[in-house]
Amino acid sequence: MSFLKSRKWWLMLPLFLIFLGVAYWLIGKIQYRLNVMDIEEYDPISTLKVEEHQLKKAKYPFIDVHNHQFTMPVQNLDDLVTEMDELNMAIMVNLSGFRGKYLEWSLENVNEKYGNRFALFLNIDFEKLDDKGWPDETMLMMEEAVAKGVKGLKVYKSLGLTDKDNDGNRIAVDDPRLNPIWALCAELNIPVLIHTGEPSAFWSPKDKHNERWLELKQYPGRYKNPEENPSFEEIMTEQHRMFKNNPNTTFINAHLGWYGNDLEKLGALMDELPNMYTELGAVLAELGRQPFTGREFLIKYQDRILMGKDAYNKEEYYTYFRVLETQDEYFDYYRKRHAHWKMYGLNLPDSVLKKIYFQNALKIIPGLDSTLFEND
């Protein structure tokens, strides 16, 4: 009897699978009839007829102060430099210089042919702040790295979010145990490019009202559960307090400090913190949707804004050029999860473009080859 029951279940399995297949097909047909589709699929072609300027090269040579090349110790740089030339990128700052042998090999590879086209920033381990030898060993490593050609320090978002001390406590961005590091950067005359926190929407409910819903759907790990993480306001307050407590150190606040959606707030910070600069990496979409306010902001703070891109992709720079240089209307950003809205050109004056593209970076990053910009 048990054999017959078992056989009966095996016979029902194909019927069940057929039923599921038919149900899935019917659901698809119903969705089609009702014009139901996922937001990721929806990609309408605009019928708007306006002037367009498809730029593939920056008007002036530029310095990308926010880039990541994770294989630089062994990377064949010829192809990358060819693409940089096509974009009119004079210098790329690789923030992922790391440390130790990795850093040494990166410097050797760069200096073999392209010593004036790349600048490397050092990365240090803040979780060592309770270990024996802190901060002296880390400071000695920093001094040696700068002597070998390192141009700055890059601080990743783990500081303030996930880095912990030996007691298991979160290390605040303004932890006083880190003060010797910031002081040494001032002494060595190198800037600190620091990424703190994440977009504030990552802390908001994952519902239909959240602008970054699509990104949180595609990358659920980016959501910051308020019950498990310090708040956005707490982390950013720590960062701003750290800037204020170290007035002699130059800080480049990455990603417009995550206040590209609140330029009034960002402007107040710029006024309060004269040692804080900022850059455009991965947040251009915030400026491109507010062309009047964005243009006014970049002009007002033209001496403190730097060009940055973040993840390297040649074609994605085209959108940066178009937003900064043209007055085009209603065009796409290159990544829907960052901007489901359209872009508008800011049409910045040439004098402002030059400052953002290269002059400001030359001012605060030591040892860059200014002869690459002499004709501009």
Side-chain angles (χ1 to χ4, degrees):
M1 185 64 112
S2 61
F3 171 76
L4 292 176
K5 287 183 178 180
S6 175
R7 185 177 180 184
K8 182 179 179 181
W9 277 108
W10 277 106
L11 290 172
M12 290 180 64
L13 181 60
L15 295 175
F16 180 69
L17 293 175
I18 292 172
F19 171 77
L20 287 179
V22 172
Y24 184 80
W25 178 81
L26 286 173
I27 291 172
K29 284 293 184 181
I30 293 170
Q31 287 180 325
Y32 178 78
R33 290 291 297 272
L34 297 177
N35 288 321
V36 175
M37 72 175 72
D38 193 289
I39 189 173
E40 295 173 81
E41 298 177 279
Y42 185 56
D43 190 21
I45 299 175
S46 174
T47 60
L48 187 66
K49 304 298 181 184
V50 290
E51 191 172 352
E52 296 182 356
H53 301 86
Q54 302 289 349
L55 304 183
K56 296 186 177 182
K57 183 176 184 178
K59 187 172 185 179
Y60 300 104
F62 68 95
I63 300 170
D64 183 350
V65 304
H66 191 147
N67 211 287
H68 298 281
Q69 297 291 322
F70 296 104
T71 61
M72 188 156 275
V74 295
Q75 190 172 350
N76 184 333
L77 299 176
D78 293 338
D79 292 340
L80 180 57
V81 171
T82 296
E83 291 190 355
M84 290 167 59
D85 290 340
E86 292 169 352
L87 293 168
N88 206 11
M89 185 194 304
I91 299 173
M92 174 188 287
V93 176
N94 180 18
L95 298 178
S96 303
F98 200 57
R99 55 186 173 269
K101 283 296 182 183
Y102 185 99
L103 176 63
E104 290 182 25
W105 293 334
S106 293
L107 287 168
E108 289 173 4
N109 190 25
V110 164
N111 291 331
E112 184 176 345
K113 291 176 65 176
Y114 301 111
N116 66 335
R117 300 297 301 276
F118 296 95
L120 271 64
F121 276 34
L122 174 74
N123 313 127
I124 64 177
D125 185 358
F126 293 103
E127 290 190 320
K128 290 186 174 183
L129 84 176
D130 282 333
D131 293 356
K132 183 179 180 180
W134 177 273
D136 296 338
E137 292 180 0
T138 296
M139 294 172 66
L140 178 60
M141 177 185 67
M142 292 171 60
E143 292 172 347
E144 292 174 347
V146 171
K148 292 176 181 177
V150 162
K151 308 298 185 188
L153 174 67
K154 165 64 165 75
V155 179
Y156 285 96
K157 61 186 176 184
S158 56
L159 179 63
L161 280 173
T162 60
D163 282 353
K164 291 180 170 58
D165 63 18
N166 288 355
D167 293 325
N169 299 314
R170 179 183 70 91
I171 303 174
V173 183
D174 63 336
D175 191 303
R177 290 170 290 184
L178 303 179
N179 285 341
I181 302 300
W182 318 132
L184 180 59
C185 289
E187 182 181 330
L188 296 173
N189 192 35
I190 59 171
V192 178
L193 193 148
I194 179 170
H195 174 168
T196 301
E198 294 280 36
S200 59
F202 285 7
W203 277 262
S204 299
K206 294 182 288 184
D207 58 23
K208 65 182 181 180
H209 302 296
N210 193 323
E211 278 190 325
R212 305 302 281 266
W213 174 87
L214 179 58
E215 183 167 3
L216 294 175
K217 176 180 180 290
Q218 294 177 341
Y219 296 91
R222 296 183 181 180
Y223 174 62
K224 302 301 176 190
N225 188 333
E227 296 181 1
E228 301 173 0
N229 294 274
S231 69
F232 173 81
E233 290 76 15
E234 181 180 1
I235 297 173
M236 302 315 296
T237 298
E238 291 173 0
Q239 186 205 58
H240 306 152
R241 190 161 52 228
M242 187 265 281
F243 292 167
K244 188 173 184 179
N245 291 341
N246 295 273
N248 296 323
T249 305
T250 298
F251 294 96
I252 304 171
N253 197 350
H255 310 297
L256 290 175
W258 298 126
Y259 284 108
N261 60 336
D262 187 353
L263 294 180
E264 183 177 357
K265 169 70 172 180
L266 182 56
L269 288 170
M270 301 289 272
D271 294 338
E272 179 186 358
L273 303 166
N275 59 328
M276 185 188 90
Y277 291 72
T278 191
E279 53 87 28
L280 308 178
V283 288
L284 181 76
E286 297 289 4
L287 299 176
R289 65 169 167 170
Q290 49 178 331
F292 304 115
T293 304
R295 186 177 194 273
E296 181 180 339
F297 177 84
L298 292 184
I299 291 176
K300 181 176 181 179
Y301 296 101
Q302 60 186 273
D303 296 316
R304 311 263 294 283
I305 313 293
L306 308 174
M307 174 65 173
K309 168 65 179 63
D310 203 350
Y312 180 79
N313 183 303
K314 179 187 174 186
E315 287 73 23
E316 292 175 354
Y317 285 91
Y318 304 163
T319 305
Y320 275 73
F321 307 152
R322 195 174 181 187
V323 168
L324 296 174
E325 298 181 21
T326 80
Q327 56 183 3
D328 285 1
E329 303 173 276
Y330 199 79
F331 55 92
D332 289 330
Y333 191 65
Y334 54 80
R335 190 170 293 131
K336 185 182 289 189
R337 66 175 174 268
H338 285 177
H340 52 81
W341 51 81
K342 299 293 184 179
M343 298 290 100
Y344 295 83
L346 306 181
N347 192 30
L348 294 176
D350 286 356
S351 59
V352 177
L353 279 175
K354 290 180 181 180
K355 289 181 179 180
I356 293 174
Y357 274 161
F358 66 90
Q359 289 176 353
N360 293 337
L362 289 175
K363 181 172 61 176
I364 64 173
I365 302 177
L368 299 183
D369 186 358
S370 61
T371 65
L372 298 171
F373 311 91
E374 284 183 346
N375 295 328
D376 297 283

